[in-house]
Amino acid sequence: LLVGAAAGDVVATAAGSAVCSGALTAAAGRVSVSGGADAFDAASGIATSWAHASGNAEVRAGATAGAGDIDVHAGRQVRVSGTLDAAGSVRVIGDGAAQPSNSARVESGAVLLAGGSVHVRAARGVYMAPSATATATGGDVHVDALGGAADVGALSGGGGGGGGGG
């Protein structure tokens, strides 16, 4: 697990699973959590490819990015709980397009808040608990299950309007 904090960022990148049990706070930066990473930017530590099928990414107690985006990516399964609050966009993405078992889960009570857009996407399926919410005050909410079903909770888009697709 590579953990970095360049320019106020909170970054956790792992070839295997990246599981963050405590709250993540980047008051003056962005938050990036990646599991299954097979390539990453040397300067920032942020993953650029997620090819390892065994890699999961999990944020269990929420995250705050006061001056950027929150990205939670995985080669296999990505799951988030708690409140993810970003000045920029929030992305919860199963990025291993070659992995048919990909899924993205937004658990019960989770709150996704973005000053920009919210993106929840996976190669297989997306699950958002009925009590989970996603709000994009400056953009759209995108929910995409590329090869399966989208089971979606409450969505709200600002800016030019919200959109959820499955």
Side-chain angles (χ1 to χ4, degrees):
L1 177 66
L2 171 70
V3 178
D9 296 340
V10 172
V11 178
T13 301
S17 292
V19 178
C20 299
S21 297
L24 306 174
T25 302
R30 58 186 170 176
V31 174
S32 173
V33 177
S34 291
D38 68 320
F40 59 89
D41 179 76
S44 68
I46 294 175
T48 55
S49 178
W50 301 264
H52 292 302
S54 61
N56 298 326
E58 188 171 352
V59 173
R60 294 181 175 172
T64 302
D69 300 335
I70 295 175
D71 289 287
V72 187
H73 293 250
R76 185 172 175 232
Q77 185 181 79
V78 57
R79 350 176 27 157
V80 296
S81 301
T83 297
L84 277 64
D85 186 353
S89 293
V90 173
R91 300 179 195 91
V92 178
I93 297 176
D95 257 318
Q99 308 301 333
S101 62
N102 249 267
S103 64
R105 295 182 60 88
V106 180
E107 302 292 0
S108 180
V111 177
L112 308 183
L113 297 173
S117 297
V118 174
H119 302 265
V120 182
R121 183 175 74 236
R124 186 186 73 178
V126 170
Y127 169 77
M128 286 187 65
S131 62
T133 62
T135 302
T137 59
D140 297 333
V141 175
H142 303 272
V143 179
D144 299 300
L146 304 180
D151 186 357
V152 177
L155 310 177
S156 177

